[in-house]
Each structure stands twice: as C-alpha cells, then as structure tokens.
Amino acid sequence: MRPSSSRQRGKRRPSRARNSSSALTAAALTAVVALTVASCGPSDDEGSSTPSSSADQGSNELALPTDLNDKLKDLGLDLDKWKDGAWKDFDKEWLREAGDFINPIIEDLWDSDRMKDAEEPDQPVEDDIADDQGVTDPEPQPVNAQQVQTPYSANAPEAGKVFFDGPEGSMVCSATVVKDPANPGKSNMVWTAGHCVHAGKGGGWYRNVMFVPSYNNSGLSVAELENAPKEQIAPKGLWWAEWAQTSDQWIERGAKVGGQGAPYDFAVLKVKPEDGSGKSLEETVGGALPVEFNAPPVKSIEDMTATGYPAAPPFDGQSLHQCTDKPGRLSLDTAQPTMYRIGCRMTAGSSGGGWVAKGQDGQPALVSNTSIGPANAAWLAGPHLGDEAKGVYNAVSKKFANR
C-alpha cells in the first residue's frame, strides 16, 4: 500500500495475488506490486543518484545540517522562498540522498482542511525469517477491520497519521510512536513505511513530512469534521520530521508496483513539535512501543494486530481501525526476505501502520508495518524487521542521543 495524492486518489491497490505453496506467479507479483506503490510515487524519469550505504547508517556523516538555512542555500534554495511555496518544485531539486532530507517547519501549512483532503499512498524489507525464507502460505481469509474505540488516545495512544507532500500532491500514511533507546521515556521517534517518506528507485524524499498522533481522537464523521477546530483533529499537536531514514534497499529498489523493495519498506522519523513545546512525543501521548527485531518464525506467533487509518473505499481515512489475525508467510522472490501476511480488509492509507505482537518479554511490541496488499483488500503484508531495520532504528536513535 502506498500514500495517495490529493490530486489523484491513491486508492488503487494491486489486484489480489494468488499464491502457490512456494512462490507467487509473475502475474500475481504484478498485482501485489500495484498495491504497494499506489499513487504517491514520482515518475521514473526523475534521474538517479547514489543513496547512502548501509554501512554508513550509524555514522556521523548522516547528521543533520547544523545550519538548515545554509544547507538550503548550498543547494541554490532560499528558506523564505521554500516556505512560500518553493518546496512545490519537484522538477529541479527533488532531493534524493539521505544527507539531503530537508524538512523545515512551515507553520500552519497543515491546517484542518489540508489534513482532511490528503490522500493515501501504498508500497514495500529484506531480512530472512529464519526457517521461513522462500515460503508462501495459502492466502488467508479476509478479516474485517474494526474501528478502535474512542478516544484513540486511551486505546491506541501510539498510533497516528503521517502527512507529506510529493509531486502528485498531499498524501497520508499511518505510523506508530516507538521507544528511543538513547532517550528512555522521552522518545521522539516514529515508525512508518519507507514509501511514506521516499519514492524509491528513481525518486526522492517527500516534503513537509509531519506526524499527528491520535488523529481525530473522538472518531468524528466527515461531516462533523467540517467545522472541527485543529485541536479536535490533532489533540496531541503536530510533529514535524527533522530527520527521516529508510533502508538503502528501498531507495535503490523500491517501486510503485511489483513489490520491488517491499521486504525493506520501513522508515524511522525523528520529530519535533510545531509549537516548540518542551515535552517529548512519548510523554505527550503517554507511551511508546518497543520494536522487536528478528521476531520468531511465523509458526511461533499466535497473532498480530495491524493498526491504521484506511482511506480508500469503503473507508474515509478519518477513523482508526485494526485487524487481528494469525500471520502467514508471503515470498515475493526467493532472493528477498519473506514477509508476514495477515487477512485484513483495511485499504490504502493504512500503509506504514504498526503491526503488534507479543515480544520476547510477553509484552506488546512493534514487529512490522503495513507495506503491500491486493486490489480487493483481502489481506496485508509487512516486512520482517531484521538487521537492516535495526540499523536504521539505531542510527536515528544515536544521531539524536540526549536531545
């Protein structure tokens, strides 16, 4: 599943993939892929660049520019012009390299109407699942998504929506507040899908990336939201990404269709409040989930719960939903890691939303995120979080240690 654009609804999802016991057919692969990148990605003729290498994920070379204004000027950009709308020009300066993620706060850009109108994206990690590599289980039975009881802040406090701008317009994904090893109890880290921050192969970083925890906390209808103040839509504030990091594999291979890069479709954001308040995100929402890397094989997992804001019909993107199912395995390519798959009727817009299961300590932990699904919205698939995912997570944590 991928984000969608406000100009072109990203509600199309790849046609349902029918799998064999060993691998998907080429036709099924194409269907699955379609869903993974839906309508938010840039065109393939944007040019190429060299992404940062995995070996550099934790190095100081990826540190944020000490002076954002000077960094923009080095690229021939003016911060004032950027805030006045220069960010809309994706033709000349569509930044691609990890060191060039630039996301200055543009106060009041994301007003209530703009958030309501943003549309959903869809897309795909590569770490092996121990004994599960190269295996595809029978397609799961669809599971109807259930709306989370309101207020969301009490029943799923870590969940929220990510808003961002791409060449096709404003888009939205789902995301989860996760713990920060370097700042226990005061995390400002958010987990989402790679395709919610970067367009993948041939593309670049999205802009104006912003996270809203407990979006529409009271579960208001579209009609009720028409006159709702921003405080009701974003009760925990607006949190802008000052850094985003995804896998090199997603940057190098990620595509709108076909599932390329899906096993590496994850990303971590470091956020800060638009209003400059002193509390951390974790303190503000009242919690953060630990991330479980190298979770056990599928046969050892009782169930997983996927959470998100599905926006394609029959959903409207304004309500938080969940699906719980025993996971199976989905292998898009024997050369890539096997993904988790569950039956779930959530549609585009739920991309990036966290998948939760019991961690090694028996407590809830984030073990994956929504990446791809078929056109008929019968199931969802998410990456297994292994060494590559852990490297991205630790790099962001270290980069902002004690901040």
Side-chain angles (χ1 to χ4, degrees), residues 133-392:
Q133 179 67 9
V135 177
T136 290
D137 291 319
E139 190 170 300
Q141 290 297 310
V143 173
N144 290 327
Q146 303 296 315
Q147 185 170 341
V148 175
Q149 184 177 350
T150 58
Y152 303 146
S153 58
N155 295 291
E158 300 88 1
K161 297 179 78 169
V162 170
F163 295 88
F164 54 100
D165 285 302
E168 298 178 3
S170 57
M171 296 175 279
V172 65
C173 275
S174 299
T176 307
V177 182
V178 293
K179 290 187 177 297
D180 178 357
N183 294 285
K186 296 184 178 181
S187 175
N188 285 308
M189 290 171 58
V190 174
W191 193 283
T192 188
H195 74 261
C196 298
V197 299
H198 192 285
K201 183 178 181 180
W205 296 99
Y206 293 125
R207 298 174 180 170
N208 305 323
V209 182
M210 189 267 298
F211 175 65
V212 180
S214 299
Y215 174 84
N216 189 20
N217 196 35
S218 300
L220 300 179
S221 67
V222 173
E224 292 172 323
L225 285 170
E226 285 300 321
N227 299 311
K230 184 184 289 187
E231 291 70 26
Q232 257 188 305
I233 296 176
K236 302 295 182 178
L238 308 182
W239 297 75
W240 285 70
E242 58 177 320
W243 187 253
Q245 196 157 331
T246 185
S247 67
D248 293 339
Q249 289 86 347
W250 173 250
I251 292 175
E252 295 167 354
R253 310 173 192 173
K256 292 184 178 182
V257 295
Q260 293 96 329
Y264 299 98
D265 186 22
F266 47 76
V268 178
L269 308 177
K270 162 61 173 61
V271 300
K272 59 183 177 181
E274 180 175 289
D275 64 6
S277 59
K279 275 190 175 183
S280 68
L281 176 60
E282 182 176 2
E283 291 171 305
T284 299
V285 304
L289 286 173
V291 182
E292 186 89 2
F293 298 101
N294 293 313
V298 162
K299 62 184 179 182
S300 303
I301 302 175
E302 184 176 341
D303 59 49
M304 289 183 177
T305 296
T307 302
Y309 284 85
F315 305 97
D316 58 21
Q318 307 307 316
S319 302
L320 186 63
H321 287 74
Q322 292 180 328
C323 289
T324 299
D325 191 22
K326 181 173 178 57
R329 296 162 292 188
L330 175 65
S331 177
L332 299 175
D333 182 338
T334 55
Q336 296 188 76
T338 299
M339 301 176 73
Y340 296 118
R341 182 166 63 165
I342 61 171
C344 185
R345 287 290 194 189
M346 283 200 290
T347 59
S350 59
S351 287
W355 289 28
V356 177
K358 285 183 180 179
Q360 294 181 5
D361 61 359
Q363 298 302 307
L366 185 141
V367 295
S368 186
N369 57 262
T370 296
S371 175
I372 59 174
N376 67 349
W379 50 263
L380 296 176
H384 172 258
L385 305 181
D387 291 342
E388 181 68 31
K390 188 175 183 179
V392 171

Side-chain angles (χ1 to χ4, degrees), residues 83-164:
K83 292 184 176 181
D84 284 341
W87 60 265
K88 297 177 184 177
D89 184 1
F90 282 85
D91 294 329
K92 297 179 180 178
E93 296 292 347
W94 195 10
L95 307 177
R96 291 172 176 78
E97 297 183 9
D100 283 337
F101 175 77
I102 294 177
N103 199 53
I105 291 176
I106 303 178
E107 192 171 350
D108 297 325
L109 174 68
W110 289 105
D111 58 22
S112 301
D113 289 337
R114 202 162 189 270
M115 285 191 282
K116 285 184 292 184
D117 291 342
E119 300 189 3
E120 63 287 351
D122 293 305
Q123 182 77 34
V125 40
E126 181 179 1
D127 292 295
D128 192 7
I129 305 181
D131 300 329
D132 294 337
Q133 179 67 9
V135 177
T136 290
D137 291 319
E139 190 170 300
Q141 290 297 310
V143 173
N144 290 327
Q146 303 296 315
Q147 185 170 341
V148 175
Q149 184 177 350
T150 58
Y152 303 146
S153 58
N155 295 291
E158 300 88 1
K161 297 179 78 169
V162 170
F163 295 88
F164 54 100

